Amino acid sequence: MTNHKKTEKQEKVQHTVCMDCSSYSTYCYRCDDFVVNDTKLGLVQKVREHLQNLENSAFTSDRHRKRKLLENSSLNSKLLKVNGSTTALCATGLRNLGNTCFMNAILQSLSNIQQFCCYFKELPAVELRNGKTAGRRTYHTRSQGDNNVSLVEEFRKTLCALWQGSQTAFSPESLFYVVWKIMPNFRGYQQQDAHEFMRYLLDHLHLELQGGFNGVSRSVILQESSNLSASNKCCINGASTVVTAIFGGILQNEVNCLICGTESRKFDPFLDLSLDIPSQFRNKRTKNQESGPMCTLRDCLRSFTDLEELDETELYMCHKCKKKQKSTKKFWIQKLPKVLCLHLKRFHWTAYLRNKVDTYVEFPLRGLDMKCYLLEPENSGPESCLYDLVAVVVHHGSGVGSGHYTAYAAHEGRWFHFNDSTVTLTDEETVGKAKAYILFYVERQAKPGAEKL
Protein backbone atom coordinates (compact mmCIF):
# COMPACT_ATOMS: atom_id res chain seq x y z
CA MET A 1 0.00 0.00 0.00
CA THR A 2 1.35 3.44 -0.94
CA ASN A 3 1.09 6.66 1.11
CA HIS A 4 0.83 9.81 -1.08
CA LYS A 5 1.17 13.47 -0.40
CA LYS A 6 -1.36 15.78 -1.93
CA THR A 7 -0.34 17.21 -5.26
CA GLU A 8 -1.74 20.20 -7.04
CA LYS A 9 -3.00 18.00 -9.85
CA GLN A 10 -5.53 15.47 -8.64
CA GLU A 11 -5.15 12.05 -10.13
CA LYS A 12 -8.12 10.05 -11.43
CA VAL A 13 -9.03 7.48 -8.75
CA GLN A 14 -11.50 4.66 -8.19
CA HIS A 15 -13.21 4.29 -4.80
CA THR A 16 -13.58 0.79 -3.24
CA VAL A 17 -14.50 -0.72 0.11
CA CYS A 18 -12.82 -3.93 1.31
CA MET A 19 -15.47 -6.59 2.04
CA ASP A 20 -13.26 -8.27 4.67
CA CYS A 21 -11.95 -5.40 6.81
CA SER A 22 -14.29 -2.57 5.63
CA SER A 23 -11.32 -0.31 4.84
CA TYR A 24 -12.08 2.54 2.40
CA SER A 25 -9.47 2.78 -0.37
CA THR A 26 -8.81 4.59 -3.63
CA TYR A 27 -6.92 3.19 -6.54
CA CYS A 28 -4.18 5.40 -7.92
CA TYR A 29 -3.60 4.83 -11.61
CA ARG A 30 -0.24 6.64 -11.53
CA CYS A 31 1.21 4.35 -8.83
CA ASP A 32 -0.80 1.32 -9.90
CA ASP A 33 -1.66 0.72 -6.23
CA PHE A 34 -4.37 1.29 -3.59
CA VAL A 35 -4.31 4.24 -1.17
CA VAL A 36 -5.95 3.89 2.26
CA ASN A 37 -8.21 6.71 3.42
CA ASP A 38 -8.80 6.05 7.12
CA THR A 39 -10.94 9.15 7.64
CA LYS A 40 -13.86 7.58 5.81
CA LEU A 41 -13.70 4.19 7.52
CA GLY A 42 -16.33 4.98 10.18
CA LEU A 43 -18.80 6.35 7.66
CA VAL A 44 -18.45 3.31 5.45
CA GLN A 45 -18.94 1.00 8.42
CA LYS A 46 -22.22 2.76 9.27
CA VAL A 47 -23.39 2.43 5.69
CA ARG A 48 -22.56 -1.27 5.71
CA GLU A 49 -24.48 -1.81 8.98
CA HIS A 50 -27.49 0.09 7.64
CA LEU A 51 -27.54 -2.00 4.45
CA GLN A 52 -27.22 -5.19 6.50
CA ASN A 53 -30.16 -4.17 8.70
CA LEU A 54 -32.28 -3.47 5.64
CA GLU A 55 -31.36 -6.85 4.19
CA ASN A 56 -32.20 -8.67 7.46
CA SER A 57 -35.49 -6.83 7.76
CA ALA A 58 -36.46 -7.78 4.22
CA PHE A 59 -35.44 -11.39 4.81
CA THR A 60 -37.42 -11.58 8.07
CA SER A 61 -40.58 -10.14 6.57
CA ASP A 62 -40.28 -12.47 3.58
CA ARG A 63 -39.83 -15.44 5.90
CA HIS A 64 -42.92 -14.48 7.92
CA ARG A 65 -44.91 -14.06 4.72
CA LYS A 66 -43.84 -17.52 3.45
CA ARG A 67 -44.61 -19.12 6.83
CA LYS A 68 -48.10 -17.58 6.86
CA LEU A 69 -48.76 -18.84 3.33
CA LEU A 70 -47.50 -22.30 4.34
CA GLU A 71 -49.74 -22.39 7.40
CA ASN A 72 -52.75 -21.35 5.34
CA SER A 73 -52.01 -23.99 2.72
CA SER A 74 -51.50 -26.59 5.45
CA LEU A 75 -54.87 -25.75 6.97
CA ASN A 76 -56.50 -25.95 3.57
CA SER A 77 -54.85 -29.32 2.92
CA LYS A 78 -56.34 -30.63 6.15
CA LEU A 79 -59.86 -30.14 4.78
CA LEU A 80 -60.88 -33.41 3.14
CA LYS A 81 -63.91 -34.70 1.31
CA VAL A 82 -65.45 -37.60 3.20
CA ASN A 83 -68.83 -38.94 2.03
CA GLY A 84 -69.44 -35.77 0.05
CA SER A 85 -69.00 -33.44 3.02
CA THR A 86 -65.99 -31.41 4.09
CA THR A 87 -64.30 -32.49 7.28
CA ALA A 88 -61.13 -31.41 9.05
CA LEU A 89 -58.08 -33.65 9.25
CA CYS A 90 -57.22 -33.22 12.92
CA ALA A 91 -54.17 -35.52 12.92
CA THR A 92 -50.87 -33.90 13.89
CA GLY A 93 -47.44 -35.04 12.79
CA LEU A 94 -44.27 -35.22 14.88
CA ARG A 95 -41.15 -33.38 13.77
CA ASN A 96 -37.99 -35.40 13.27
CA LEU A 97 -35.35 -34.10 15.68
CA GLY A 98 -32.53 -36.02 14.00
CA ASN A 99 -33.12 -39.72 13.28
CA THR A 100 -36.01 -39.78 15.77
CA CYS A 101 -38.44 -41.47 13.38
CA PHE A 102 -38.26 -44.59 15.58
CA MET A 103 -39.74 -42.58 18.47
CA ASN A 104 -42.32 -40.79 16.29
CA ALA A 105 -43.70 -44.05 14.88
CA ILE A 106 -44.17 -45.54 18.36
CA LEU A 107 -45.75 -42.38 19.77
CA GLN A 108 -48.24 -42.13 16.91
CA SER A 109 -49.17 -45.80 17.33
CA LEU A 110 -49.70 -45.48 21.09
CA SER A 111 -51.72 -42.27 20.62
CA ASN A 112 -54.30 -44.25 18.62
CA ILE A 113 -54.86 -46.86 21.32
CA GLN A 114 -57.79 -45.00 22.82
CA GLN A 115 -58.03 -46.51 26.30
CA PHE A 116 -54.28 -46.15 26.86
CA CYS A 117 -54.10 -42.63 25.40
CA CYS A 118 -57.16 -41.31 27.25
CA TYR A 119 -55.77 -42.44 30.60
CA PHE A 120 -52.67 -40.24 30.23
CA LYS A 121 -54.54 -37.29 28.74
CA GLU A 122 -56.84 -37.23 31.77
CA LEU A 123 -53.96 -37.15 34.27
CA PRO A 124 -53.49 -33.81 36.08
CA ALA A 125 -50.92 -31.47 34.54
CA VAL A 126 -47.68 -30.58 36.28
CA GLU A 127 -48.14 -27.67 38.66
CA LEU A 128 -47.03 -24.26 37.40
CA ARG A 129 -44.05 -22.62 38.97
CA ASN A 130 -44.41 -19.81 41.50
CA GLY A 131 -42.89 -16.35 41.37
CA LYS A 132 -41.70 -14.81 38.14
CA THR A 133 -42.60 -17.85 36.05
CA ALA A 134 -46.13 -18.18 37.43
CA GLY A 135 -48.67 -18.78 34.70
CA ARG A 136 -46.16 -20.36 32.36
CA ARG A 137 -45.47 -24.05 31.92
CA THR A 138 -42.17 -25.55 32.93
CA TYR A 139 -39.88 -26.48 30.03
CA HIS A 140 -36.92 -28.67 30.81
CA THR A 141 -33.46 -27.33 30.08
CA ARG A 142 -30.07 -28.98 30.28
CA SER A 143 -29.24 -27.01 33.43
CA GLN A 144 -31.99 -28.72 35.42
CA GLY A 145 -31.42 -31.81 37.49
CA ASP A 146 -32.85 -35.29 37.14
CA ASN A 147 -35.51 -34.60 39.77
CA ASN A 148 -37.14 -32.03 37.51
CA VAL A 149 -37.99 -34.41 34.68
CA SER A 150 -41.07 -36.58 34.38
CA LEU A 151 -41.54 -39.06 31.55
CA VAL A 152 -45.24 -39.41 32.36
CA GLU A 153 -45.80 -35.64 32.16
CA GLU A 154 -43.94 -35.17 28.87
CA PHE A 155 -45.68 -38.23 27.43
CA ARG A 156 -49.04 -36.76 28.55
CA LYS A 157 -48.29 -33.40 26.93
CA THR A 158 -47.26 -35.07 23.68
CA LEU A 159 -50.46 -37.11 23.52
CA CYS A 160 -52.53 -34.00 24.24
CA ALA A 161 -50.82 -32.15 21.37
CA LEU A 162 -51.77 -34.89 18.90
CA TRP A 163 -55.28 -34.96 17.37
CA GLN A 164 -56.08 -31.38 18.38
CA GLY A 165 -55.91 -30.11 14.80
CA SER A 166 -54.40 -26.79 15.89
CA GLN A 167 -51.05 -27.45 14.21
CA THR A 168 -49.73 -29.60 11.40
CA ALA A 169 -46.71 -30.87 13.33
CA PHE A 170 -45.60 -30.94 16.96
CA SER A 171 -41.99 -30.98 18.14
CA PRO A 172 -41.47 -33.59 20.91
CA GLU A 173 -38.16 -32.11 22.01
CA SER A 174 -39.09 -31.95 25.72
CA LEU A 175 -40.03 -35.63 25.69
CA PHE A 176 -36.87 -36.52 23.80
CA TYR A 177 -34.79 -34.67 26.39
CA VAL A 178 -36.38 -36.70 29.19
CA VAL A 179 -35.71 -39.87 27.18
CA TRP A 180 -32.04 -38.87 27.07
CA LYS A 181 -32.07 -38.30 30.81
CA ILE A 182 -33.58 -41.62 31.90
CA MET A 183 -32.71 -43.90 28.97
CA PRO A 184 -28.96 -43.53 28.27
CA ASN A 185 -29.14 -46.09 25.43
CA PHE A 186 -31.09 -43.57 23.33
CA ARG A 187 -28.82 -40.56 23.76
CA GLY A 188 -27.54 -39.02 20.57
CA TYR A 189 -29.03 -38.77 17.11
CA GLN A 190 -28.21 -42.15 15.63
CA GLN A 191 -30.97 -44.44 14.35
CA GLN A 192 -32.47 -46.72 17.03
CA ASP A 193 -34.66 -49.81 17.08
CA ALA A 194 -38.34 -48.88 17.42
CA HIS A 195 -39.27 -52.06 19.28
CA GLU A 196 -36.46 -51.60 21.78
CA PHE A 197 -37.57 -48.01 22.35
CA MET A 198 -41.19 -49.09 22.86
CA ARG A 199 -40.17 -51.59 25.54
CA TYR A 200 -38.00 -49.06 27.37
CA LEU A 201 -40.78 -46.46 27.16
CA LEU A 202 -43.49 -48.76 28.53
CA ASP A 203 -41.22 -50.09 31.28
CA HIS A 204 -40.27 -46.61 32.48
CA LEU A 205 -43.85 -45.34 32.31
CA HIS A 206 -44.86 -48.36 34.40
CA LEU A 207 -42.15 -47.71 37.00
CA GLU A 208 -42.89 -43.99 37.27
CA LEU A 209 -46.62 -44.60 37.66
CA GLN A 210 -45.88 -47.05 40.45
CA GLY A 211 -43.94 -44.39 42.34
CA GLY A 212 -46.60 -41.67 42.10
CA PHE A 213 -46.75 -38.72 39.70
CA ASN A 214 -47.10 -34.95 39.97
CA GLY A 215 -48.20 -34.90 43.56
CA VAL A 216 -50.88 -37.53 43.01
CA SER A 217 -50.55 -40.27 45.57
CA ARG A 218 -49.39 -43.69 44.47
CA SER A 219 -52.56 -45.29 45.87
CA VAL A 220 -54.82 -43.03 43.76
CA ILE A 221 -52.94 -43.89 40.54
CA LEU A 222 -52.97 -47.61 41.32
CA GLN A 223 -56.68 -47.42 42.12
CA GLU A 224 -57.38 -45.75 38.76
CA SER A 225 -55.32 -48.44 37.03
CA SER A 226 -57.20 -51.21 38.80
CA ASN A 227 -60.51 -49.69 37.75
CA LEU A 228 -59.62 -50.34 34.11
CA SER A 229 -60.27 -54.03 34.68
CA ALA A 230 -60.41 -55.82 37.97
CA SER A 231 -59.67 -59.15 36.29
CA ASN A 232 -57.00 -57.88 33.92
CA LYS A 233 -54.01 -57.61 36.23
CA CYS A 234 -50.59 -58.60 35.00
CA CYS A 235 -48.01 -57.45 37.51
CA ILE A 236 -44.55 -56.76 36.11
CA ASN A 237 -42.01 -55.44 38.62
CA GLY A 238 -44.58 -54.79 41.33
CA ALA A 239 -48.16 -53.54 41.39
CA SER A 240 -50.31 -53.19 38.30
CA THR A 241 -50.53 -49.90 36.37
CA VAL A 242 -52.32 -48.79 33.20
CA VAL A 243 -49.37 -50.20 31.20
CA THR A 244 -49.79 -53.74 32.51
CA ALA A 245 -53.59 -53.48 32.67
CA ILE A 246 -53.75 -52.83 28.91
CA PHE A 247 -50.66 -54.49 27.42
CA GLY A 248 -50.05 -57.17 30.05
CA GLY A 249 -50.61 -60.85 29.37
CA ILE A 250 -49.32 -64.11 30.85
CA LEU A 251 -47.46 -66.96 29.15
CA GLN A 252 -47.12 -70.51 30.44
CA ASN A 253 -43.72 -72.00 29.64
CA GLU A 254 -43.65 -75.82 29.69
CA VAL A 255 -40.31 -77.67 29.64
CA ASN A 256 -40.15 -81.49 29.50
CA CYS A 257 -37.01 -83.53 30.15
CA LEU A 258 -36.53 -86.07 27.32
CA ILE A 259 -34.68 -88.48 29.60
CA CYS A 260 -36.95 -88.86 32.64
CA GLY A 261 -40.10 -87.05 31.43
CA THR A 262 -40.13 -84.51 34.25
CA GLU A 263 -42.31 -81.52 33.41
CA SER A 264 -41.60 -77.97 34.58
CA ARG A 265 -44.15 -75.17 34.30
CA LYS A 266 -43.47 -71.48 34.68
CA PHE A 267 -45.72 -68.42 34.27
CA ASP A 268 -44.17 -65.33 32.68
CA PRO A 269 -45.84 -61.91 32.28
CA PHE A 270 -45.39 -60.13 28.94
CA LEU A 271 -46.13 -56.77 27.35
CA ASP A 272 -45.54 -57.97 23.79
CA LEU A 273 -44.73 -61.17 21.93
CA SER A 274 -41.64 -61.39 19.69
CA LEU A 275 -42.29 -63.75 16.80
CA ASP A 276 -39.76 -65.36 14.48
CA ILE A 277 -40.43 -65.38 10.76
CA PRO A 278 -40.11 -69.10 9.83
CA SER A 279 -36.94 -69.84 7.87
CA GLN A 280 -38.80 -71.36 4.91
CA PHE A 281 -40.38 -67.96 4.19
CA ARG A 282 -37.35 -65.73 4.51
CA ASN A 283 -36.63 -65.47 0.77
CA LYS A 284 -40.14 -64.23 -0.12
CA ARG A 285 -39.93 -60.45 -0.09
CA THR A 286 -43.10 -59.14 -1.74
CA LYS A 287 -46.80 -59.91 -1.52
CA ASN A 288 -47.05 -60.53 -5.28
CA GLN A 289 -44.06 -62.89 -5.49
CA GLU A 290 -45.52 -66.18 -6.80
CA SER A 291 -42.79 -68.68 -5.92
CA GLY A 292 -43.68 -70.64 -2.80
CA PRO A 293 -46.41 -70.14 -0.18
CA MET A 294 -46.97 -66.77 1.45
CA CYS A 295 -45.96 -66.24 5.06
CA THR A 296 -48.85 -65.26 7.31
CA LEU A 297 -49.08 -63.95 10.84
CA ARG A 298 -50.61 -67.28 11.83
CA ASP A 299 -47.44 -69.04 10.62
CA CYS A 300 -45.38 -66.84 12.94
CA LEU A 301 -47.74 -67.44 15.89
CA ARG A 302 -47.70 -71.19 15.24
CA SER A 303 -43.89 -71.18 15.16
CA PHE A 304 -43.89 -69.35 18.52
CA THR A 305 -46.25 -71.79 20.26
CA ASP A 306 -45.27 -75.10 18.61
CA LEU A 307 -43.36 -77.75 20.54
CA GLU A 308 -39.64 -77.13 20.15
CA GLU A 309 -36.66 -79.30 21.01
CA LEU A 310 -33.92 -77.26 22.65
CA ASP A 311 -30.47 -77.53 21.11
CA GLU A 312 -27.17 -78.33 22.84
CA THR A 313 -26.60 -74.74 23.87
CA GLU A 314 -29.93 -74.60 25.76
CA LEU A 315 -29.85 -77.80 27.82
CA TYR A 316 -32.41 -77.89 30.62
CA MET A 317 -31.26 -78.44 34.21
CA CYS A 318 -33.47 -81.34 35.30
CA HIS A 319 -33.98 -81.40 39.07
CA LYS A 320 -34.77 -85.10 38.99
CA CYS A 321 -31.76 -86.12 36.87
CA LYS A 322 -29.58 -83.61 38.75
CA LYS A 323 -27.90 -82.48 35.53
CA LYS A 324 -28.53 -80.70 32.25
CA GLN A 325 -30.52 -82.81 29.81
CA LYS A 326 -32.09 -82.54 26.39
CA SER A 327 -35.63 -81.23 26.62
CA THR A 328 -38.60 -79.78 24.75
CA LYS A 329 -40.24 -76.41 25.25
CA LYS A 330 -43.72 -75.14 24.47
CA PHE A 331 -45.48 -71.83 25.08
CA TRP A 332 -49.16 -71.41 25.90
CA ILE A 333 -50.94 -68.10 26.41
CA GLN A 334 -52.50 -68.26 29.85
CA LYS A 335 -54.12 -64.79 29.64
CA LEU A 336 -54.55 -62.47 26.67
CA PRO A 337 -54.11 -58.69 27.06
CA LYS A 338 -56.54 -55.96 26.07
CA VAL A 339 -54.02 -54.75 23.47
CA LEU A 340 -51.97 -57.48 21.83
CA CYS A 341 -48.60 -56.19 20.61
CA LEU A 342 -46.84 -58.52 18.15
CA HIS A 343 -43.22 -57.86 17.19
CA LEU A 344 -41.90 -59.59 14.07
CA LYS A 345 -38.21 -60.36 14.52
CA ARG A 346 -36.84 -58.89 11.29
CA PHE A 347 -33.29 -58.28 12.50
CA HIS A 348 -30.90 -61.17 13.13
CA TRP A 349 -27.28 -61.14 14.15
CA THR A 350 -24.77 -62.95 11.97
CA ALA A 351 -21.06 -63.38 12.66
CA TYR A 352 -20.24 -59.77 11.84
CA LEU A 353 -23.41 -57.76 11.33
CA ARG A 354 -27.17 -57.58 11.88
CA ASN A 355 -29.20 -58.53 8.82
CA LYS A 356 -32.81 -57.70 8.07
CA VAL A 357 -35.42 -60.29 7.09
CA ASP A 358 -37.41 -58.41 4.45
CA THR A 359 -40.12 -61.05 4.05
CA TYR A 360 -43.68 -59.87 3.54
CA VAL A 361 -45.96 -61.27 6.27
CA GLU A 362 -49.70 -61.24 5.59
CA PHE A 363 -51.74 -60.06 8.58
CA PRO A 364 -55.50 -59.60 9.13
CA LEU A 365 -56.97 -56.16 9.70
CA ARG A 366 -59.97 -57.64 11.50
CA GLY A 367 -60.81 -60.75 13.44
CA LEU A 368 -57.42 -62.13 14.50
CA ASP A 369 -58.50 -65.23 16.42
CA MET A 370 -56.14 -66.12 19.30
CA LYS A 371 -58.30 -68.88 20.81
CA CYS A 372 -56.22 -71.78 19.52
CA TYR A 373 -53.12 -70.46 21.33
CA LEU A 374 -54.79 -70.30 24.75
CA LEU A 375 -54.00 -72.74 27.53
CA GLU A 376 -57.69 -73.09 28.43
CA PRO A 377 -59.70 -71.95 25.39
CA GLU A 378 -62.90 -73.43 26.77
CA ASN A 379 -62.96 -70.78 29.50
CA SER A 380 -62.93 -67.86 27.04
CA GLY A 381 -65.99 -66.17 25.56
CA PRO A 382 -66.86 -66.17 21.85
CA GLU A 383 -65.63 -62.60 21.30
CA SER A 384 -62.87 -62.33 23.92
CA CYS A 385 -60.23 -63.93 21.65
CA LEU A 386 -60.90 -61.77 18.57
CA TYR A 387 -58.65 -58.78 17.86
CA ASP A 388 -58.82 -55.92 15.35
CA LEU A 389 -55.78 -54.07 14.05
CA VAL A 390 -55.31 -50.50 15.26
CA ALA A 391 -51.70 -49.62 14.35
CA VAL A 392 -48.68 -50.89 12.39
CA VAL A 393 -45.04 -49.78 12.60
CA VAL A 394 -43.01 -50.29 9.42
CA HIS A 395 -39.24 -50.19 8.94
CA HIS A 396 -38.04 -49.06 5.52
CA GLY A 397 -34.45 -49.91 4.63
CA SER A 398 -31.91 -52.69 4.95
CA GLY A 399 -30.54 -52.48 8.49
CA VAL A 400 -31.51 -51.63 12.06
CA GLY A 401 -28.94 -48.82 12.24
CA SER A 402 -30.24 -47.17 9.09
CA GLY A 403 -33.49 -46.78 7.17
CA HIS A 404 -36.66 -45.04 8.26
CA TYR A 405 -39.72 -45.79 10.42
CA THR A 406 -43.31 -44.85 9.63
CA ALA A 407 -46.63 -45.93 11.14
CA TYR A 408 -50.18 -46.66 10.02
CA ALA A 409 -52.99 -46.20 12.52
CA ALA A 410 -56.79 -46.28 12.55
CA HIS A 411 -58.68 -43.36 14.07
CA GLU A 412 -62.48 -43.06 14.09
CA GLY A 413 -62.85 -45.53 11.23
CA ARG A 414 -60.19 -43.99 8.98
CA TRP A 415 -56.60 -45.09 8.37
CA PHE A 416 -53.74 -42.59 8.49
CA HIS A 417 -50.10 -42.83 7.47
CA PHE A 418 -47.71 -41.08 9.87
CA ASN A 419 -44.36 -40.16 8.34
CA ASP A 420 -42.77 -37.84 10.90
CA SER A 421 -44.36 -34.39 10.37
CA THR A 422 -46.41 -35.56 7.36
CA VAL A 423 -49.81 -37.18 7.96
CA THR A 424 -51.92 -38.47 5.07
CA LEU A 425 -55.13 -40.41 4.72
CA THR A 426 -54.74 -43.92 3.36
CA ASP A 427 -56.84 -47.04 2.80
CA GLU A 428 -56.97 -50.59 4.13
CA GLU A 429 -55.45 -52.05 0.97
CA THR A 430 -52.31 -49.94 1.39
CA VAL A 431 -52.06 -50.89 5.07
CA GLY A 432 -52.41 -54.59 4.23
CA LYS A 433 -49.45 -54.42 1.83
CA ALA A 434 -47.08 -52.99 4.45
CA LYS A 435 -44.13 -55.04 5.66
CA ALA A 436 -45.06 -54.87 9.31
CA TYR A 437 -42.46 -54.70 12.05
CA ILE A 438 -44.77 -54.14 15.04
CA LEU A 439 -48.53 -54.85 15.04
CA PHE A 440 -50.98 -53.49 17.62
CA TYR A 441 -54.28 -55.38 17.93
CA VAL A 442 -57.14 -54.25 20.18
CA GLU A 443 -59.47 -56.76 21.82
CA ARG A 444 -62.88 -56.74 20.18
CA GLN A 445 -65.68 -55.75 22.51
CA ALA A 446 -68.22 -58.48 23.25
CA LYS A 447 -71.17 -56.09 23.07
CA PRO A 448 -73.48 -56.88 20.12
CA GLY A 449 -73.51 -54.27 17.39
CA ALA A 450 -70.29 -52.70 18.63
CA GLU A 451 -68.43 -50.62 16.08
CA LYS A 452 -65.67 -52.55 14.32
CA LEU A 453 -62.48 -51.15 12.94
Side-chain angles (χ1 to χ4, degrees):
M1 192 70 68
T2 305
N3 293 320
H4 290 283
K5 295 181 180 179
K6 285 188 177 181
T7 59
E8 294 181 0
K9 185 177 181 180
Q10 297 294 329
E11 300 290 343
K12 185 178 181 180
V13 296
Q14 177 182 355
H15 302 277
T16 59
V17 179
C18 177
M19 300 301 294
D20 294 327
C21 65
S22 302
S23 297
Y24 181 86
S25 303
T26 60
Y27 186 80
C28 179
Y29 286 88
R30 184 185 65 180
C31 300
D32 193 23
D33 200 355
F34 282 98
V35 183
V36 178
N37 189 344
D38 294 329
T39 60
K40 297 185 179 181
L41 177 60
L43 178 61
V44 172
Q45 183 66 25
K46 291 181 179 179
V47 172
R48 281 172 52 83
E49 291 176 356
H50 178 66
L51 292 175
Q52 187 67 38
N53 291 335
L54 290 176
E55 182 180 357
N56 292 338
S57 177
F59 175 76
T60 302
S61 61
D62 184 60
R63 184 173 58 182
H64 286 318
R65 180 179 60 84
K66 289 182 178 179
R67 181 181 298 175
K68 190 171 183 179
L69 289 174
L70 182 62
E71 289 176 354
N72 291 336
S73 63
S74 298
L75 290 175
N76 292 334
S77 67
K78 297 183 81 171
L79 296 177
L80 304 172
K81 290 284 186 179
V82 179
N83 296 329
S85 60
T86 302
T87 183
L89 174 62
C90 56
T92 300
L94 288 169
R95 292 190 179 93
N96 194 315
L97 306 177
N99 285 327
T100 57
C101 55
F102 68 92
M103 178 179 73
N104 293 346
I106 294 298
L107 292 176
Q108 293 286 12
S109 298
L110 295 178
S111 74
N112 285 282
I113 300 173
Q114 294 304 314
Q115 193 173 13
F116 183 72
C117 179
C118 290
Y119 174 87
F120 284 94
K121 289 166 68 174
E122 292 172 359
L123 285 176
V126 166
E127 295 179 1
L128 302 180
R129 287 183 177 182
N130 297 323
K132 296 181 180 180
T133 59
R136 291 182 293 173
R137 288 198 177 276
T138 300
Y139 291 93
H140 300 303
T141 62
R142 295 185 182 275
S143 62
Q144 292 177 309
D146 291 336
N147 294 332
N148 291 325
V149 299
S150 167
L151 179 64
V152 172
E153 167 63 5
E154 296 303 333
F155 185 68
R156 183 197 68 81
K157 289 196 294 186
T158 301
L159 294 181
C160 289
L162 302 175
W163 298 107
Q164 287 184 344
S166 58
Q167 53 187 336
T168 57
F170 173 76
S171 180
E173 53 190 10
S174 296
L175 174 62
F176 192 43
Y177 167 70
V178 176
V179 169
W180 279 26
K181 274 289 197 181
I182 65 178
M183 306 179 198
N185 291 353
F186 296 95
R187 290 176 183 170
Y189 296 97
Q190 64 272 23
Q191 182 65 280
Q192 301 283 358
D193 185 277
H195 174 253
E196 184 180 359
F197 171 76
M198 182 196 73
R199 286 305 313 269
Y200 270 88
L201 177 66
L202 293 179
D203 287 345
H204 281 82
L205 288 173
H206 172 67
L207 292 174
E208 189 171 319
L209 288 171
Q210 283 183 322
F213 163 71
N214 188 31
V216 181
S217 68
R218 180 175 181 270
S219 60
V220 171
I221 289 181
L222 296 181
Q223 179 63 33
E224 291 180 0
S225 298
S226 64
N227 290 338
L228 290 170
S229 176
S231 60
N232 190 38
K233 289 187 177 181
C234 173
C235 298
I236 299 175
N237 297 327
S240 175
T241 65
V242 64
V243 176
T244 54
I246 290 180
F247 290 96
I250 299 176
L251 282 175
Q252 178 177 292
N253 183 2
E254 292 182 2
V255 179
N256 287 277
C257 177
L258 293 177
I259 305 302
C260 68
T262 299
E263 184 180 89
S264 173
R265 293 181 180 179
K266 181 182 178 182
F267 293 94
D268 297 313
F270 68 87
L271 295 179
D272 69 304
L273 297 178
S274 292
L275 310 177
D276 278 307
I277 297 175
S279 56
Q280 66 267 28
F281 298 109
R282 292 188 182 180
N283 292 326
K284 187 173 176 60
R285 300 199 168 198
T286 64
K287 183 175 182 179
N288 299 324
Q289 192 172 346
E290 296 180 358
S291 58
M294 181 182 297
C295 182
T296 66
L297 185 59
R298 189 168 295 278
D299 293 321
C300 300
L301 285 165
R302 189 181 299 113
S303 176
F304 179 79
T305 56
D306 277 350
L307 188 67
E308 172 190 5
E309 183 174 342
L310 301 178
D311 57 29
E312 296 291 336
T313 61
E314 298 177 300
L315 292 178
Y316 165 65
M317 182 63 188
C318 180
H319 297 287
K320 187 175 181 180
C321 298
K322 303 297 183 182
K323 62 178 181 179
K324 292 184 177 181
Q325 301 283 25
K326 287 187 176 182
S327 59
T328 60
K329 180 180 70 173
K330 180 174 175 60
F331 284 118
W332 293 97
I333 298 179
Q334 199 268 341
K335 188 187 76 66
L336 285 165
K338 287 184 173 296
V339 175
L340 179 63
C341 179
L342 301 176
H343 160 235
L344 299 180
K345 297 164 71 173
R346 292 194 174 274
F347 301 105
H348 291 266
W349 285 104
T350 61
Y352 301 101
L353 48 86
R354 198 176 184 185
N355 289 329
K356 180 181 178 181
V357 179
D358 206 28
T359 303
Y360 171 76
V361 178
E362 188 177 43
F363 53 90
L365 272 67
R366 297 179 184 84
L368 174 64
D369 192 351
M370 296 294 294
K371 191 170 186 176
C372 60
Y373 310 108
L374 285 177
L375 180 64
E376 299 175 343
E378 64 277 3
N379 295 334
S380 60
E383 292 283 321
S384 61
C385 300
L386 294 179
Y387 286 80
D388 297 319
L389 187 68
V390 69
V392 186
V393 174
V394 182
H395 177 267
H396 310 268
S398 58
V400 66
S402 60
H404 183 60
Y405 286 98
T406 64
Y408 294 94
H411 185 82
E412 296 181 352
R414 294 183 294 172
W415 280 94
F416 295 86
H417 183 218
F418 298 91
N419 184 2
D420 287 335
S421 57
T422 303
V423 183
T424 55
L425 269 176
T426 187
D427 51 41
E428 293 184 354
E429 183 180 0
T430 302
V431 176
K433 292 179 180 178
K435 293 181 180 179
Y437 182 47
I438 305 173
L439 296 157
F440 296 89
Y441 282 92
V442 176
E443 181 184 33
R444 183 179 293 180
Q445 299 300 318
K447 296 178 181 180
E451 181 182 356
K452 298 179 183 179
L453 291 174

